[in-house]
Amino acid sequence: KWKGEGTTQNLESIVIGRCYDYIRIVNPAVGEKNCSQIWEAFKNAFINKDPCSILPGDYELFINLTFHTIPPNKSLFWENNQLLVNSFADRGRRYMSLADTLFGFIGDFLNWCGQADSPGLDYESCPTTMECENNAVESFWRMASIIYAQHSSGVIHVLLNGSTDGGAYPQPGFFADYEIPNLQKDKISQIVIWVVDDIEGPDIESCGAHSVKTLETRLTALGYDVTCTDNDK
């Protein structure tokens, strides 16, 4: 048994249902998508395979089938504040975070893995990232993060948690390792960093200090126009 929780029950119904929810209600502007075909591409990325040998590229067909443009100035990157980002983005009405794209929306908060030499899903347990990095969920989010970053443009927003122990800008982390390296510099006019403390939480990090300074220095060195605001009203 693996240490992680098993596949989310009713995964197929949830994935297909979320796909229809997205194209009919959340964001009909993306146009028609074949939700059954999307489920098959998603499933085929990881079933019948060793759950520790799934690579980001295995989700390429899934990404191709779910892909749509990300409006300029709407991208919202983040670390350590998923619930705040979800509510602040308002399902794409205010910003379009990764979870507000069709490909991110489908996978949000779900868990899944298959088994070597078996067409079934493993509902008992799935490997954690500590057990193996190339697991089905980790590789999914790596691929999704890469595509999301590559297609973000205009003013880019980054929402960081100034109250978190591990640093507002964690390294390693998805933003540090998969998103920043895949930003397309010629498409980006500015990067706006917001550092937000938890309500009643400690003020551990802020602009120009600790890991946020590391991030500002990295982005500036890459040639970006960077601004940073603490606890924006």
Side-chain angles (χ1 to χ4, degrees):
K1 274 178 70 80
W2 301 106
K3 293 196 173 75
E5 61 180 88
T7 298
T8 307
Q9 296 287 337
N10 309 105
L11 183 70
E12 179 177 354
S13 301
I14 293 170
V15 168
I16 293 174
R18 282 184 176 185
C19 176
Y20 281 118
D21 186 22
Y22 192 89
I23 66 173
R24 297 289 177 252
I25 297 160
V26 177
N27 189 6
V30 301
E32 275 303 308
K33 301 285 182 189
N34 186 329
C35 294
S36 305
Q37 206 178 2
I38 284 168
W39 159 252
E40 290 298 325
F42 175 77
K43 180 182 69 173
N44 288 334
F46 63 89
I47 61 159
N48 271 320
K49 296 179 189 171
D50 172 350
C52 279
S53 60
I54 314 298
L55 299 174
D58 293 339
Y59 288 98
E60 191 172 4
L61 177 59
F62 168 81
I63 292 288
N64 290 342
L65 293 172
T66 52
F67 184 76
H68 56 86
T69 54
I70 297 161
N73 312 316
K74 291 277 193 176
S75 291
L76 179 62
F77 294 87
W78 57 274
E79 287 283 6
N80 298 314
N81 49 25
Q82 184 171 11
L83 297 176
L84 172 61
V85 166
N86 282 3
S87 52
F88 183 54
D90 195 20
R91 280 202 159 183
R93 285 187 275 273
R94 190 179 284 118
Y95 290 99
M96 186 178 280
S97 72
L98 176 51
D100 305 307
T101 65
L102 174 55
F103 45 96
F105 187 80
I106 284 175
D108 209 23
F109 291 109
L110 299 180
N111 212 46
W112 63 89
C113 65
Q115 306 163 65
D117 309 317
S118 158
L121 302 169
D122 189 341
Y123 293 101
E124 295 299 310
S125 65
C126 290
T128 62
T129 301
M130 297 296 282
E131 290 176 289
C132 61
E133 290 202 351
N134 293 330
N135 67 63
V137 175
E138 182 81 4
S139 289
F140 174 89
W141 288 114
R142 286 179 182 176
M143 185 67 175
S145 293
I146 289 165
I147 297 298
Y148 179 71
Q150 286 174 345
H151 295 276
S152 292
S153 64
V155 179
I156 303 291
H157 297 87
V158 186
L159 190 57
L160 301 177
N161 185 339
S163 297
T164 189
D165 283 336
Y169 167 59
Q171 291 176 281
F174 275 84
F175 186 53
D177 300 337
Y178 298 98
E179 292 169 340
I180 293 175
N182 285 290
L183 293 173
Q184 306 295 300
K185 186 161 179 311
D186 55 339
K187 297 199 299 192
I188 293 168
S189 54
Q190 188 183 30
I191 298 181
V192 176
I193 302 167
W194 289 314
V195 184
V196 180
D197 297 332
D198 291 340
I199 293 170
E200 307 289 319
D203 177 8
I204 299 174
E205 293 238 23
S206 43
C207 296
H210 306 304
S211 75
V212 183
K213 184 176 173 123
T214 305
L215 171 60
E216 291 173 90
T217 304
R218 178 178 179 185
L219 293 174
T220 305
L222 288 169
Y224 292 105
D225 173 10
V226 181
T227 63
C228 184
T229 313
D230 285 308
N231 289 320
D232 190 299
K233 284 283 179 281

